[in-house]
Amino acid sequence: MKQRLIILAALFIIVSSTLLGQINISGTVVDTDTHNIIEFANIALLKQDSSFVAGASSDTKGLFAFNNIPTGDYILSATFVGYGKRYIPVKNAIENTDLGNVPLKPSDIALKDVTVTANAVIQKPDRKVIIPSDTQIKASNSGVTLLRNLQLSRIIVNPLNNTITLPGGDAVQLRINGVEVTIAEITAIQPEDIIRIEYHDDPGMRYGNVGAVIDYITRRRDSGGNVSANLANVPFGVLGWGENFLSAKVNHKKSEFGVNAYWSRRNIEWTRENEETFVFPDKTLTRTEEGQPTTFKDDRLNVALNYSLNEADKYMFNATLRNNYQKTPNQFSDRNSMIYSSDNNNPLSISDHSTWRSYSPSLDLYYQRNLKNDQLLIFNLVGTYIDSKSTRSYQERRNNILNTDIYSSVLGDKYSLIGEGIYEKTLKAGKISAGLKHTQSYTSNSYEGNVTANVGLNFAETYGYAEFQFKKNEFDYSL
């Protein structure tokens, strides 16, 4: 019993020390004119230099909250479709802060010699259809920046690490004209080629029950082409950082040929500092970690070659050959540290170093056939090969004597083939869909180091489904 109390006391001190210097920031988003609450508004917490800290969405009561945020000065950004953006400074946040009502003003757009033929947002039983305005398109230079300008509810676009996620970090499935794509292919889209964006905020089983789906519907040209580049780099020697995109597209009648490449690089140094205090009935133990400069390196090169054949309202065939390469000789989890403990005058030296390399080519074949009476058939076949290698070396020394030495190396090979057939029919009240999917894969891993082993796995899975989705009042239903 005594040992349990000691453990609980230690855990309590660890948790308490972790939360020290952390605050909560909350508020309610409302309409300035009607004072009604605004559901699912996008809320971002920024530093004074406008760098991203955290993101959230207001709930069905308009409430939002950021928990366990370090004390300091911040800027709160609130946005929602049809409203102007609002910035609120949060100065000297050293204790829990309730901002109260965060008012958003409906945006008024002056129209001159313009005919409005559709709503900006059209609500469908299974999705929202968003038609970007000319202003939003002109203010964008890619499909990602346009999505950020639209400020869709629950969608968080982080320009720092070039990701599109949901609150909580869940990934968003990205598509172009119904075909699943990568973030690099979204970046390559010319904003003026985007007709609309279909936002599935409650996607069905056709999409694998992901949190959300963003589908870019783009226009096809009969001839011509374009080349675009977006290069952002910090000089070598000061801070190795780069985000580079290059794309090209050529159209000829029903055919379209395209290529896009994404190169990301990181070469930086960081240090780790940490302090822990353990309080026991008979003593107090303090451990202080002083980090030494540690290198983080990462290189990623993703290339996609694309061909599509399309006849409007009849059929579409799309073939994409992708090659993704990543090499991380120094991972962000690496550390070189000295641990000083109050119960031992001799510090503990820790070295933790990991590497990662992967090479993954894939071929994606997609065919869609539009039938009469709002029906369609979809067939998708994806073949992928993944070659990977990871290592980790962990060592502890005291008085230059090696006490702990752990090394592991994993070589992996994976082959997979995924085939799927989908039927879909759109009704006035909702949508009916059915599908059949088969996955076949083989994985082989070789483990070396302190433990040696070879593991092979054959995996096969086939499943079918049928689903009926419809919307009534404010609720979505799925059977």
Side-chain angles (χ1 to χ4, degrees):
M1 182 65 179
K2 184 177 180 180
Q3 291 178 338
R4 292 181 180 177
L5 290 175
I6 292 174
I7 294 173
L8 289 174
L11 290 174
F12 176 77
I13 295 301
I14 292 173
V15 173
S16 299
S17 63
T18 302
L19 295 178
L20 187 62
Q22 308 263 316
I23 61 171
N24 301 329
I25 300 176
S26 59
T28 305
V29 186
V30 299
D31 187 302
T32 55
D33 296 340
T34 64
H35 301 290
N36 293 331
I37 61 172
I38 299 178
E39 302 177 2
F40 310 121
N42 281 320
I43 314 297
L45 194 63
L46 312 173
K47 293 183 179 179
Q48 293 295 306
D49 60 359
S50 298
S51 59
F52 182 84
V53 176
S57 296
S58 59
D59 61 16
T60 54
K61 296 182 180 179
L63 301 173
F64 67 89
F66 296 100
N67 298 320
N68 301 330
I69 300 297
T71 59
D73 296 334
Y74 296 100
I75 299 174
L76 186 132
S77 168
T79 56
F80 190 68
V81 176
Y83 290 83
K85 183 179 291 188
R86 181 66 180 266
Y87 293 101
I88 297 178
V90 183
K91 296 287 187 180
N92 275 332
I94 57 176
E95 58 183 15
N96 293 341
T97 303
D98 185 358
L99 300 176
N101 288 340
V102 177
L104 295 185
K105 183 177 180 59
S107 59
D108 296 324
I109 302 176
L111 301 178
K112 183 178 181 181
D113 298 331
V114 173
T115 302
V116 178
T117 58
N119 295 326
V121 180
I122 303 172
Q123 182 67 56
K124 298 285 186 178
D126 61 329
R127 65 192 183 277
K128 292 183 178 71
V129 178
I130 298 95
I131 302 174
S133 66
D134 291 339
T135 303
Q136 291 168 330
I137 291 176
K138 290 179 181 178
S140 307
N141 59 9
S142 71
V144 176
T145 54
L146 176 60
L147 186 63
R148 187 167 72 243
N149 292 334
L150 289 176
Q151 295 291 334
L152 301 182
S153 63
R154 298 174 60 232
I155 299 298
I156 300 173
V157 181
N158 189 338
L160 295 182
N161 56 9
N162 198 46
T163 59
I164 301 173
T165 60
L166 296 173
D170 293 337
V172 176
Q173 187 179 110
L174 303 173
R175 292 175 175 258
I176 298 177
N177 296 324
V179 181
E180 188 172 356
V181 296
T182 63
I183 184 71
E185 292 165 84
I186 296 297
T187 306
I189 302 178
Q190 297 295 312
E192 57 269 19
D193 289 341
I194 299 174
I195 301 174
R196 64 183 185 275
I197 291 179
E198 298 188 353
Y199 174 30
H200 303 254
D201 56 351
D202 187 21
M205 297 188 66
R206 170 187 167 183
Y207 303 101
N209 284 326
V210 297
V213 176
I214 300 292
D215 193 355
Y216 290 78
I217 308 302
T218 61
R219 59 175 50 89
R220 295 286 297 255
R221 305 182 186 277
D222 293 332
S223 61
N226 62 72
V227 177
S228 64
N230 187 350
L231 310 177
N233 292 273
V234 176
F236 289 101
V238 180
L239 176 65
W241 181 93
E243 290 284 331
N244 302 283
F245 300 89
L246 177 66
S247 68
K249 184 169 60 175
V250 176
N251 295 84
H252 178 66
K253 297 182 179 180
K254 299 178 181 180
S255 296
E256 180 178 276
F257 303 86
V259 57
N260 64 76
Y262 164 64
W263 176 40
S264 165
R265 61 179 181 84
R266 300 289 187 270
N267 186 2
I268 62 177
E269 284 191 348
W270 73 293
T271 58
R272 169 188 169 101
E273 295 181 356
N274 189 36
E275 183 173 320
E276 298 173 323
T277 301
F278 303 86
V279 179
F280 299 95
D282 57 342
K283 65 176 181 179
T284 299
L285 174 64
T286 301
R287 287 166 53 97
T288 302
E289 179 178 1
E290 293 184 1
Q292 301 171 358
T294 305
T295 300
F296 165 59
K297 289 184 178 180
D298 179 75
D299 267 291
R300 303 187 187 195
L301 178 61
N302 300 337
V303 180
L305 302 176
N306 176 263
Y307 169 75
S308 64
L309 181 67
N310 179 69
E311 185 172 349
D313 300 325
K314 288 187 177 181
Y315 66 86
M316 181 184 70
F317 170 74
N318 188 88
T320 304
L321 178 63
R322 299 185 178 94
N323 188 17
N324 299 330
Y325 175 77
Q326 180 181 3
K327 183 179 181 181
T328 309
N330 302 88
Q331 293 203 27
F332 198 67
S333 58
D334 285 6
R335 60 170 171 154
N336 296 305
S337 303
M338 299 293 293
I339 304 292
Y340 298 89
S341 180
S342 59
D343 66 341
N344 195 321
N345 294 327
N346 298 317
L348 181 68
S349 173
I350 294 179
S351 173
D352 193 354
H353 176 61
S354 300
T355 69
W356 169 261
R357 175 196 56 78
S358 68
Y359 166 72
S360 176
S362 66
L363 178 62
D364 188 339
L365 303 176
Y366 179 94
Y367 177 75
Q368 176 177 314
R369 182 74 183 186
N370 295 343
L371 305 176
K372 296 180 179 179
N373 301 320
D374 292 324
Q375 301 178 93
L376 61 85
L377 288 174
I378 297 172
F379 299 97
N380 193 201
L381 184 65
V382 181
T384 306
Y385 168 67
I386 302 175
D387 172 24
S388 63
K389 180 180 180 180
S390 64
T391 66
R392 185 184 181 190
S393 174
Y394 179 84
Q395 294 181 334
E396 292 183 357
R397 286 183 169 86
R398 198 185 296 272
N399 295 326
N400 291 324
I401 299 175
L402 184 63
N403 298 324
T404 303
D405 187 8
I406 301 174
Y407 176 79
S408 65
S409 173
V410 183
L411 295 173
D413 287 289
K414 182 177 181 179
Y415 303 84
S416 67
L417 185 65
I418 302 174
E420 184 176 19
I422 297 172
Y423 166 79
E424 187 174 284
K425 178 175 175 57
T426 302
L427 307 172
K428 290 184 178 180
K431 182 177 68 176
I432 296 175
S433 60
L436 184 67
K437 184 175 183 179
H438 177 76
T439 301
Q440 188 79 39
S441 67
Y442 172 72
T443 304
S444 174
N445 289 332
S446 297
Y447 299 86
E448 299 176 355
N450 297 84
V451 176
T452 302
N454 292 312
V455 178
L457 172 66
N458 280 301
F459 176 80
E461 179 188 57
T462 303
Y463 75 87
Y465 71 89
E467 184 178 32
F468 174 54
Q469 294 176 282
F470 67 99
K471 183 180 184 69
K472 187 174 183 180
N473 298 328
E474 297 181 354
F475 294 93
D476 295 322
Y477 299 89
S478 177
L479 176 64

